[in-house]
Amino acid sequence: MNTRAKGILFMILTGFAMVGCSTTSERIILQSQSVRTDIFREADGLTAPAPGDGDLVVKVSIKTHSGEHPLWWIKDGHGSPGYDIVFNVDGQAVIWEVDPRDDVVPKTGKLSEDPEAGSGVKYVVEKRLRLKKGEKSIFLGLPEETCCTHLRIGVEEGTRNVLEFKPVYRKSGTRHIRNFMYGIDRMEVFFNGNQIQ
């Protein structure tokens, strides 16, 4: 393949990647806006749900670099206070602004080491929401990562449910190992301990 053909192929692939990111960003912006306000409220966990209600504990934990990106020209919101996590249930949205906390996991040097090995920061959310029983449409978006996920769950009356989002980090281009320094590829979702996505 000649140089011109390689250049054209590169531009096409870059265009597809930019369209994908743009579409995801637009979706996150759309889902960050509430069209309803009567779907859920934050609960303290001290009082039992009213008849017809159930609790949903939402857990999100992701690790990023601390703001010192290995590619020095990249400036982003990682490591900064106020990292946004967009959460939407049936049209009611909330944006959780999360502050970082230092996180250091020793490196082992093995290819199979923990994808969170190294020095960085963690953004952690744990919120208890009270909502009406029934099937719910859930959206979680990470604007800084251009990453989002959408799913449906069922909440039963009087129950305490746990919905946990865990990151799957991208692989390096050369060593093909996953690490938080490369960003987030997608989220795995667990509902009451069972992986559903």
Side-chain angles (χ1 to χ4, degrees):
M1 185 180 290
N2 66 29
T3 306
R4 180 183 162 113
K6 285 180 184 177
I8 292 171
L9 180 61
F10 175 76
M11 289 190 319
I12 290 170
L13 293 175
T14 303
F16 282 133
M18 290 174 65
V19 168
C21 290
S22 173
T23 303
T24 302
S25 296
E26 290 170 7
R27 188 171 179 204
I28 291 172
I29 291 168
L30 183 66
Q31 291 290 329
S32 69
Q33 301 166 15
S34 285
V35 294
R36 307 237 351 225
T37 57
D38 59 341
I39 303 299
F40 65 83
R41 65 185 187 284
E42 283 200 34
D44 56 16
L46 303 175
T47 57
D53 287 355
D55 281 358
L56 180 66
V57 177
V58 180
K59 296 181 178 184
V60 185
S61 174
I62 63 168
K63 186 169 181 176
T64 75
H65 62 83
S66 60
E68 297 293 324
H69 198 281
L71 302 176
W72 57 269
W73 62 87
I74 293 180
K75 304 294 181 204
D76 55 30
H78 294 120
S80 304
Y83 182 94
D84 289 344
I85 296 176
V86 175
F87 189 74
N88 188 311
V89 182
D90 289 345
Q92 181 176 342
V94 63
I95 300 173
W96 292 312
E97 294 181 356
V98 190
D99 289 335
R101 54 188 189 204
D102 291 338
D103 187 78
V104 179
V105 176
K107 290 188 174 189
T108 64
K110 297 178 182 174
L111 284 176
S112 61
E113 74 181 358
D114 184 345
E116 293 191 345
S119 178
V121 296
K122 266 203 171 172
Y123 293 98
V124 179
V125 168
E126 184 168 332
K127 299 286 186 180
R128 180 186 292 260
L129 307 178
R130 187 150 293 164
L131 32 74
K132 295 289 181 195
K133 68 177 181 179
E135 189 172 279
K136 306 295 175 189
S137 175
I138 307 285
F139 176 89
L140 179 102
L142 304 173
E144 195 64 48
E145 313 302 326
T146 319
C147 173
C148 65
T149 188
H150 182 262
L151 60 136
R152 298 188 76 78
I153 59 169
V155 174
E156 295 182 15
E157 180 178 354
T159 60
R160 177 187 177 273
N161 303 277
V162 178
L163 184 62
E164 189 169 5
F165 297 87
K166 296 181 180 180
V168 175
Y169 298 106
R170 290 189 181 110
K171 292 181 180 178
S172 74
T174 55
R175 299 175 64 205
H176 300 292
I177 56 170
R178 294 189 186 278
N179 188 273
F180 73 93
M181 292 295 285
Y182 308 125
I184 296 174
D185 184 34
R186 65 184 187 283
M187 300 296 282
E188 290 181 335
V189 185
F190 296 80
F191 185 56
N192 295 331
N194 299 312
Q195 187 172 353
I196 58 172
Q197 196 174 45

